[in-house]
Amino acid sequence: MSKELKPKRRDFLFTATYTIGAVGLAAAIWPLIDQMNPDSSVKALSTTEVDVSNMEIGKTITVLWRGKPIFIRRRTKEEIAEAASVDLKDLKDPEKDSDRAKNPEWLVMVGVCTHLGCVPLGNKGEYNAWFCPCHGSHYDTSGRIRKGPAPTNLEIPKYEFVDNNTIKIG
Amino acid sequence: MSEKYIPKSKFAQWFDSRLPLLSLSHHLKEYPTPKNLNYWWTFGGILTFCLITQIVTGVILGMHYVAHTDHAFESIEHIMRDVNYGWLMRYVHANGASMFFLAVYIHIFRGLFYGSYKAPREVIWIIGVIIYLLMMATAFMGYVLPWGQMSFWGATVITNLFSAIPLVGESITTWLWGGYSVDNPTLTRFYALHYLLPFLIFGLIILHIWALHVPGNNNPTGIDVKKNTNETMPFHPYMVMKDITALLVFIIIFFWFVFFAPNALGHPDNYIEANPLVTPTHIVPEWYLLPFYAILRAIPSKLGGVIFMFAAIFVLVLLPWLDTSKVRSSVFRPIYRKFFWVLVGTVILLGYLGAKPPEGIYLVLSRIATAYYFIHFLVLLPLLGRYEKTDPLPISISDPVLNKPGFVDKFKKAAAQYEGDNVGSFK
Amino acid sequence: MRGIMLVLLNRLIITIFISIFSISSFAEEMNTNYLKTKWSFKGVFGTFDRASLQRGYQVYQEVCAGCHSVQHLSYRNLSEKGGPEFSVEEAKAIAAQFEVEDGPNSDGEMFMRPGRLSDKFVKPYPNVEASTAANGGAYPPDMSVLAKARAGGADYIYSLLLGYEEAPEGFELDEGVYYNKYMPGNKIKMSAPLMDGIVEYADGTEATTAQMSKDVTAFLVWAAEPHLEAQHRMGFKAIIYLFVLLTLVYMSKQKVWSRFGSKEEPEEETFDRAERVVTKYEGEDPKTFK
């Protein structure tokens, strides 16, 4: 009877309605999620310039970039030598010091422990470089992870020397 | 439908006997609704959609808004310019408020027309009036948050209403403001309350629906339906589909405002940052508050105006007892039906007058309209209940269908035949 | 029943019309007849004319920026989609023309540096008080959202810029106050800001007062609603989508409801109903019943 035939047509109509409705709902939900992503004013704040003309050898300064501390250290000869002499096989996250510091005298890195985001302390720990007090991660004079729970080396941000006295981060 | 619901699977039974969510959802799906509900009945569902939209977009705006007099206006511009889809969130929220009120007014007038406030539905109606009051409070405080000129001066004028209260008025306004004028403490508390009240409204809506599900829906004839007969149909899928159809039409109108006329319902002055030294030449509230604003200004005394304004809402609480007619729906009340439309006209007129300066003919008209508003509820309704001659009521909601020309005769004939076969089964 | 519903619907439609009419008449009352010009951004498909926005920026910068800030705009906005769409390099160059205060540096001092894309537009005055003092007691309003802050919007701004006239006889004007046909109250403290050729357009467009007024107005409309084009695009798609979905939902609803309607009524019930009707209207003329 005609009643028997109806369901098939209905099914197609219902499926189409559900599908189109679901697509619309998904499209409507995306803005609700995307609004939490960094907004255009945050994305635009990309660079910080730091005047390093007054920095002596062996000193570290910390500047703020994108809300995070950036360590800028003018390394001593000994530190550079020590960082360069390490055998890459001994490293958890093998990276050459020369790749991390383009100009060996200047080490610029994000001062955020790669374990869970604490700020490591300077001139501390087994390698007398950086040590994270939260969960005991030790970093060497190149900011590489040597001991402790952190999985990777301290991150190197994008930076360049605008001139001899100024570093532009970002 | 009426027998107790037992879930199918063992786990569902275990769960449902501990927290009867499945029974609840079964009840909501099977809830019997009169089959003759027209599209005016879809506004309940539309209003639920409005509240959820306002809460979702509102929580999102709250993530980016800064409730401080120095930053509020700027943070709104930040939302409009920088936040991903921030302009969409804000325009949906701002126009959503207007659409919410549009829907609630239709919902209220539907109730007035079909007598949905009458026994046994008085509690539903009163909860509804409380929801409406909370909506006005929420909307008013929300309008203050952008900290534009209308925000500031609207807040100043409305909070000053409380200073009309004898003896304690001054202390109450100072307490409301947290200072000696509308300022940062006022803004932050309005923000907190604007965030809070919608959740109270949400709770009251649950009570509103609960109270509705006890007697069941009224319907256009105002005649009680017999549940579990073919006079009712399960809420799902019948009413759900009808509600969604109406909701989509509503959303189309809503979105037309959001995308193509987002500021049409707002006031340009609110894009000027609040300035406590300069009052705009013409302070008007948002359109949905205008009728009450007109009543406020129609009364030539400060305290009197405030009393009448609140009385205009409070009189709705008394409505189930003021309207003494036994007939619910104005479909069968020829005289009330006319007065109903006069009332609609009066409220719209009051809204128009609320947007006009309170002088000359506007003031005279708003006094007449205010007087009529109260006369309608306090004088006309009780009198009509006594003297109106109502049309004959059908016995069930199905009967009007039979009332086509010739139908009665046809059934008489059929009945006569029936009587012949089974004498005594009639009457 | 159906007849009554139609009457109701009619009344409702009439009521809506009356209310729309009263609202719009209220809106119109505040406006005089503004000068009309064709705006590319009006309407459902409206988009900005890039060249006009770029010229408008030039007019703003060379003429208005001396007194009027646009503090909610950033230089990066100039290169963003949907706006004047200067190239990023051009926008960077524009930003670099301005000195922006930054700091404090490591010595705790504020210092000046060239502007960057992320900076907000530099304001001509540090605060409202300073701008009020410098402009004879009337502060030049910030123009970031001016196009939304004035009834009449673009038409009003355009008309105002072209509305300077000799005051009619008997119209009293104080020192430093000018007559403008479109200013509410006709008194304005800003002297006519534009005159033919006051800027030189790089693209060779003739800088007539009307042309500059149009360009700078378009620029201000964009400044007030930088996502206008996205709004129009998304709105068009959304509404088309909603109509499609509405059609499908309505058809589904009709199908679902037809299920209910097709239910056969037991014969007994039909007779029950017949009985009720008959007893009710026995002796009455059925036509009187509504």
Side-chain angles (χ1 to χ4, degrees):
Chain A
M1 278 171 42
S2 65
K3 265 189 183 171
E4 241 77 305
L5 285 170
K6 266 183 186 168
K8 276 196 176 169
R9 264 185 289 154
R10 271 186 204 158
D11 282 353
F12 174 71
L13 179 62
F14 293 161
T15 313
T17 311
Y18 279 131
T19 315
I20 304 270
V23 168
L25 209 60
I29 284 171
W30 171 243
L32 309 182
I33 296 166
D34 190 38
Q35 52 86 20
M36 296 225 287
N37 277 321
D39 65 52
S40 56
S41 65
V42 171
K43 285 188 212 150
L45 287 174
S46 50
T47 57
T48 300
E49 284 181 16
V50 187
D51 180 7
V52 291
S53 53
N54 300 328
M55 271 180 71
E56 289 161 24
I57 289 179
K59 284 270 181 254
T60 306
I61 59 164
T62 308
V63 295
L64 203 64
W65 175 69
R66 284 187 174 172
K68 291 187 227 176
I70 300 292
F71 295 151
I72 301 175
R73 179 164 177 85
R74 195 169 181 185
R75 295 190 293 187
T76 60
K77 289 250 160 58
E78 299 78 52
E79 284 170 355
I80 299 170
E82 197 187 321
S85 67
V86 176
D87 186 352
L88 288 189
K89 276 180 208 148
D90 298 341
L91 295 174
K92 196 174 186 178
D93 179 15
E95 228 180 339
K96 272 193 249 166
D97 184 59
S98 55
D99 292 340
R100 292 178 58 80
K102 282 175 252 177
N103 176 349
E105 200 171 274
W106 295 94
L107 181 63
V108 179
M109 54 187 190
V110 179
V112 174
C113 179
T114 56
H115 181 218
L116 290 172
C118 296
V119 178
L121 304 170
N123 301 322
K124 286 260 163 59
E126 286 183 18
Y127 298 87
N128 199 25
W130 283 278
F131 168 70
C132 181
C134 290
H135 307 96
S137 291
H138 300 259
Y139 297 91
D140 67 14
T141 53
S142 185
R144 292 172 297 200
I145 179 64
R146 300 299 287 272
K147 194 182 170 193
T152 55
N153 304 331
L154 290 176
E155 192 193 332
I156 306 290
K158 186 176 164 243
Y159 69 92
E160 60 181 341
F161 280 86
V162 182
D163 52 54
N164 286 335
N165 294 330
T166 317
I167 299 176
K168 186 171 131 195
I169 304 165
Chain B
M1 270 180 272
S2 59
E3 62 262 32
K4 199 167 156 36
Y5 164 76
I6 297 159
K8 282 197 190 93
S9 80
K10 269 263 149 50
F11 173 73
Q13 285 172 13
W14 177 88
F15 183 82
D16 200 58
S17 62
R18 282 152 182 81
L19 180 65
L21 275 185
L22 294 164
S23 293
L24 177 67
S25 117
H26 176 80
H27 162 77
L28 293 176
K29 273 164 81 176
E30 297 299 323
Y31 169 68
T33 44
K35 67 177 178 188
N36 62 338
L37 294 188
N38 56 35
Y39 274 102
W40 300 120
W41 259 266
T42 59
F43 281 88
I46 287 173
L47 284 161
T48 315
F49 165 82
C50 287
L51 179 68
I52 291 170
T53 308
Q54 291 305 92
I55 289 181
V56 169
T57 52
V59 166
I60 285 171
L61 290 171
M63 295 180 190
H64 304 283
Y65 170 75
V66 182
H68 189 286
T69 51
D70 291 347
H71 302 288
F73 192 86
E74 192 188 342
S75 72
I76 297 287
E77 281 310 309
H78 167 66
I79 290 169
M80 291 297 291
R81 288 157 198 275
D82 300 332
V83 173
N84 304 323
Y85 298 104
W87 59 269
L88 180 62
M89 302 298 137
R90 174 162 176 262
Y91 278 158
V92 167
H93 196 74
N95 287 287
S98 277
M99 298 307 286
F100 203 162
F101 275 94
L102 176 70
V104 93
Y105 282 124
I106 294 174
H107 194 61
I108 291 171
F109 278 109
R110 188 269 288 158
L112 287 175
F113 187 84
Y114 293 112
S116 299
Y117 47 85
K118 293 190 187 183
R121 298 187 180 81
E122 302 95 322
V123 174
I124 311 174
W125 176 261
I126 291 169
I127 293 173
V129 176
I130 298 171
I131 292 173
Y132 174 50
L133 260 176
L134 282 180
M135 274 176 66
M136 289 201 281
T138 311
F140 159 67
M141 287 189 283
Y143 196 56
V144 175
L145 303 184
W147 207 242
Q149 274 288 67
M150 277 295 159
S151 302
F152 181 87
W153 292 100
T156 302
V157 168
I158 300 294
T159 48
N160 262 312
L161 290 180
F162 294 92
S163 70
I165 302 167
L167 300 173
V168 291
E170 284 295 321
S171 337
I172 288 181
T173 36
T174 311
W175 174 75
L176 279 175
W177 290 335
Y180 303 101
S181 66
V182 174
D183 208 336
N184 199 47
T186 327
L187 178 63
T188 48
R189 67 190 59 181
F190 275 22
Y191 178 51
L193 292 172
H194 180 72
Y195 211 125
L196 168 71
L197 291 189
F199 295 96
L200 291 186
I201 294 176
F202 193 84
L204 282 168
I205 282 177
I206 291 174
L207 294 185
H208 194 60
I209 295 171
W210 187 359
L212 168 71
H213 280 222
V214 176
N217 286 76
N218 184 24
N219 68 76
T221 66
I223 298 162
D224 289 329
V225 293
K226 293 166 205 67
K227 284 179 192 172
N228 307 322
T229 64
N230 75 334
E231 288 182 2
T232 63
M233 46 201 345
F235 184 73
H236 180 80
Y238 298 101
M239 292 303 153
V240 170
M241 290 306 288
K242 193 165 183 165
D243 280 358
I244 292 177
T245 309
L247 177 62
L248 286 170
V249 175
F250 183 81
I251 296 178
I252 289 172
I253 299 168
F254 181 6
F255 277 13
W256 186 82
F257 277 108
V258 168
F259 291 108
F260 300 113
N263 295 304
L265 299 168
H267 197 288
D269 277 4
N270 224 28
Y271 279 106
I272 303 170
E273 195 167 353
N275 181 352
L277 300 177
V278 184
T279 308
T281 43
H282 201 74
I283 303 180
V284 281
E286 291 279 81
W287 68 267
Y288 39 80
L289 302 176
L290 286 172
F292 299 99
Y293 194 56
I295 292 175
L296 171 76
R297 297 189 308 180
I299 310 297
S301 115
K302 188 172 173 180
L303 181 60
V306 176
I307 289 174
F308 272 79
M309 190 180 73
F310 283 105
I313 301 163
F314 183 69
V315 77
L316 292 174
V317 174
L318 301 179
L319 179 61
W321 295 277
L322 290 171
D323 183 354
T324 52
S325 175
K326 292 280 175 290
V327 176
R328 281 202 197 99
S329 171
S330 44
V331 170
F332 304 104
R333 299 184 63 188
I335 305 176
Y336 171 75
R337 199 157 67 221
K338 294 201 173 71
F339 283 121
F340 169 83
W341 287 108
V342 177
L343 179 72
V344 173
T346 307
V347 172
I348 291 172
L349 177 67
L350 279 170
Y352 170 74
L353 294 168
K356 291 286 174 191
E359 56 200 24
I361 182 74
Y362 300 130
L363 193 59
V364 177
L365 278 175
S366 44
R367 286 187 181 152
I368 296 171
T370 303
Y372 181 79
Y373 179 90
F374 286 100
I375 287 171
H376 174 92
F377 289 106
L378 297 174
V379 181
L380 290 175
L381 286 185
L383 287 180
L384 280 178
R386 269 190 91 152
Y387 298 110
E388 184 180 26
K389 187 177 182 317
T390 54
D391 291 333
L393 287 179
I395 291 171
S396 85
I397 65 163
S398 314
D399 281 351
V401 184
L402 300 175
N403 195 47
K404 287 171 189 160
F407 254 72
V408 172
D409 287 340
K410 216 166 135 190
F411 275 106
K412 266 189 195 170
K413 227 186 267 171
Q417 213 177 358
Y418 188 60
E419 200 165 33
D421 295 347
N422 304 280
V423 184
S425 67
F426 242 77
K427 278 154 208 174
Chain C
M1 194 61 198
R2 188 137 285 226
I4 290 176
M5 292 312 300
L6 281 178
V7 173
L8 292 190
L9 202 67
N10 270 339
R11 294 220 178 131
L12 188 93
I13 290 168
I14 292 166
T15 336
I16 290 173
F17 267 104
I18 292 172
S19 46
I20 288 174
F21 172 76
S22 53
I23 289 169
S24 56
S25 70
F26 164 65
E28 266 160 34
E29 234 166 75
M30 304 181 7
N31 313 347
T32 31
N33 287 322
Y34 293 128
L35 296 174
K36 294 276 176 261
T37 184
K38 221 174 132 38
W39 299 113
S40 66
F41 49 80
K42 287 254 165 95
V44 174
F45 300 105
T47 51
F48 289 111
D49 173 351
R50 313 269 164 243
S52 176
L53 287 189
Q54 296 197 358
R55 293 194 299 268
Y57 166 73
Q58 188 186 349
V59 176
Y60 164 74
Q61 199 50 59
E62 291 178 16
V63 182
C64 320
C67 303
H68 290 277
S69 56
V70 281
Q71 57 181 340
H72 298 297
L73 239 55
S74 303
Y75 293 112
R76 67 190 155 83
N77 297 141
L78 292 172
S79 65
E80 280 167 3
K81 243 178 99 65
E85 295 189 4
F86 286 102
S87 69
V88 176
E89 277 62 43
E90 283 170 326
K92 271 185 183 159
I94 288 170
Q97 292 166 6
F98 301 93
E99 288 284 296
V100 176
E101 191 178 52
D102 200 349
N105 61 14
S106 46
D107 300 324
E109 279 160 13
M110 304 303 278
F111 59 93
M112 301 302 281
R113 58 161 175 78
R116 299 180 195 142
L117 287 182
S118 56
D119 290 319
K120 295 259 158 143
F121 271 54
V122 172
K123 293 195 272 187
Y125 302 102
N127 49 51
V128 171
E129 284 71 16
S131 72
T132 312
N135 288 283
Y139 76 92
D142 179 79
M143 300 206 298
S144 313
V145 284
L146 193 74
K148 293 198 282 190
R150 296 290 181 275
D155 292 329
Y156 166 78
I157 297 173
Y158 178 71
S159 303
L160 184 96
L161 287 170
L162 295 171
Y164 285 88
E165 281 178 2
E166 280 296 314
E169 233 163 277
F171 195 91
E172 293 264 335
L173 284 175
D174 291 337
E175 183 73 24
V177 178
Y178 306 88
Y179 183 85
N180 190 304
K181 202 174 153 191
Y182 298 99
M183 181 79 181
N186 300 118
K187 290 180 183 174
I188 186 166
K189 285 215 171 178
M190 172 173 76
S191 61
L194 297 171
M195 61 192 85
D196 289 347
I198 195 171
V199 302
E200 199 175 315
Y201 283 140
D203 63 3
T205 308
E206 199 188 336
T208 60
T209 310
Q211 182 66 43
M212 288 185 289
S213 301
K214 191 173 173 178
D215 291 340
V216 80
T217 304
F219 174 76
L220 291 177
V221 170
W222 166 75
E225 200 74 279
H227 298 295
L228 185 79
E229 292 186 9
Q231 279 168 35
H232 286 175
R233 263 199 318 275
M234 192 188 288
F236 180 70
K237 279 187 222 156
I239 286 182
I240 293 288
Y241 164 80
L242 284 167
F243 271 109
V244 172
L245 186 64
L246 174 64
T247 315
L248 284 171
V249 166
Y250 182 71
M251 283 162 64
S252 303
K253 181 237 156 201
Q254 291 301 79
K255 291 239 159 164
V256 169
W257 276 62
S258 72
R259 245 192 233 166
F260 192 84
S262 70
K263 257 192 198 165
E264 288 277 317
E265 195 178 17
E267 202 174 313
E268 222 166 302
E269 267 182 46
T270 318
F271 276 101
D272 274 356
R273 299 204 304 163
E275 178 196 21
R276 273 183 261 123
V277 174
V278 170
T279 42
K280 179 80 189 170
Y281 303 117
E282 200 77 79
E284 278 185 39
D285 179 7
K287 276 169 204 153
T288 58
F289 173 71
K290 284 209 176 160

